[in-house]
Amino acid sequence: MSDFLSKSPENGRLGRKSELQQQCSAMPSQSNITLQLHRHPTNDDSSATANTVPQEDSREFVCGVGAASINIMTTFPINKIIFRQQLLGISATTAIKQLQAEGVLRLYRGILPPMLQKTATLSLMFGMYDKFNRIFRQNLPGVHPVLQKTTAAVLAGCCEAVFTPLERVQTLLQNRYYQEHYRNTFHAFRELRSSGVPEYYRGLVPILLRNGPSNAVFFLFRGEIKDLLPRSDRPGVEVLWNFISGAVLGAVLSTIFFPLNVIKTKMQSQVGGRFTGIYESFLIVYNERNRSLRAIYHGARVNYMRALLSWGIINASYELMKSYFYGNGNDS
């Protein structure tokens, strides 16, 4: 009888109904689906999102390295002429004749320190400026944007000064009086070690006084200058406008801070002995140049042209690489 009842039509219908009810109860309700769609991110989601932030930030550093490399390879010979004028107070013609006499093989002697120094400092300049600027925007939203940008730029300039030893060695390798004493970059670093760590940081004060204010002006005004130029959707014109805005700012700033670079070069051209302060070094240069302020600007004209080209290349290359990494959105 029990077998018969289980096989009856009525019982079959009840069994199928029970199975359907079980399947329906196993399905998630519409309210559950809605809650899942609108749920807050979990800790795992937050950590995954947080992990993308350093990757975004690092792009600014990479753009700085690329811009510096292109610039150094292009402008190093010009920079060497300016260096000779700053150190010896000679004309551009005399400096060029010296380089010609030394030969082509020595033309790029000393390029490794500026290559390392420029790629490192420009990477820090753009990368740390962006990082500090983001920190201020997130944590100090009430502070005026101009003050935020100025502070971020000055702090980035101070970070650049960490690489003063590279600038120090570059000065020695470009000085003709040390050409037989220091064979290359690594040899110069080894030799300076015997004089102690402070020897690597001769000229630190003028570098700090140069980096902070020049960075602040550069970051505050490069966008303003570009905005004065006609707008264009053509990529070639955009690169040209970036070149012009960087070139104008670089040329003006390098001229304003040229005396600081002369003093820095004088301080760093000495190895061993007493450390001279910035004012004392200025007086030494002033007396060596027949007490003429005009003579301190020996090389300023070539330096102006070099900065015009150099900072035009840096700014255009940086923005070009930035557009590649960020796309048209430029979301930095």
Side-chain angles (χ1 to χ4, degrees), residues 206-223:
I207 287 173
L208 288 171
L209 292 176
R210 176 196 67 190
N211 286 1
S214 61
N215 274 10
V217 175
F218 179 80
F219 283 113
L220 282 174
F221 288 99
R222 73 185 183 120

Side-chain angles (χ1 to χ4, degrees), residues 46-65:
S46 301
S47 61
T49 305
N51 287 337
T52 63
V53 174
Q55 185 179 359
E56 290 179 2
D57 290 347
S58 67
R59 291 180 289 187
E60 300 284 342
F61 292 92
V62 175
C63 291
V65 169

Side-chain angles (χ1 to χ4, degrees), residues 138-156:
Q138 291 170 3
N139 299 293
L140 300 169
V143 177
H144 196 280
V146 172
L147 182 57
Q148 287 181 357
K149 290 180 179 180
T150 303
T151 308
V154 171
L155 289 175

Side-chain angles (χ1 to χ4, degrees), residues 44 83 208 229 265 329:
D44 292 338
F83 171 82
L208 288 171
L229 301 170
T265 300

Side-chain angles (χ1 to χ4, degrees), residues 2 68 86 89 97-98 104 112 134 148 171 173-174 180 250-251:
S2 60
Q86 287 178 339
K97 286 180 178 178
Q98 284 184 358
V104 178
L112 185 58
R134 289 188 188 205
Q148 287 181 357
T171 300
L173 291 177
Q174 289 186 343
E180 302 302 325

Side-chain angles (χ1 to χ4, degrees), residues 264-282:
K264 185 267 304 179
T265 300
K266 183 64 179 178
M267 294 170 75
Q268 292 186 334
S269 63
Q270 179 186 343
V271 178
R274 188 174 65 87
F275 279 68
T276 56
I278 188 169
Y279 180 68
E280 185 180 353
S281 298
F282 168 76

Side-chain angles (χ1 to χ4, degrees), residues 22 36 56 76 78 86 108 127 153 161-162 167 177 179 188 215 249 304:
Q22 288 176 359
Q36 287 177 1
E56 290 179 2
F76 183 77
I78 302 172
Q86 287 178 339
Y108 278 89
V162 171
E167 201 164 342
Y177 298 110
Q179 283 189 354
N215 274 10
L249 270 174
Y304 179 89

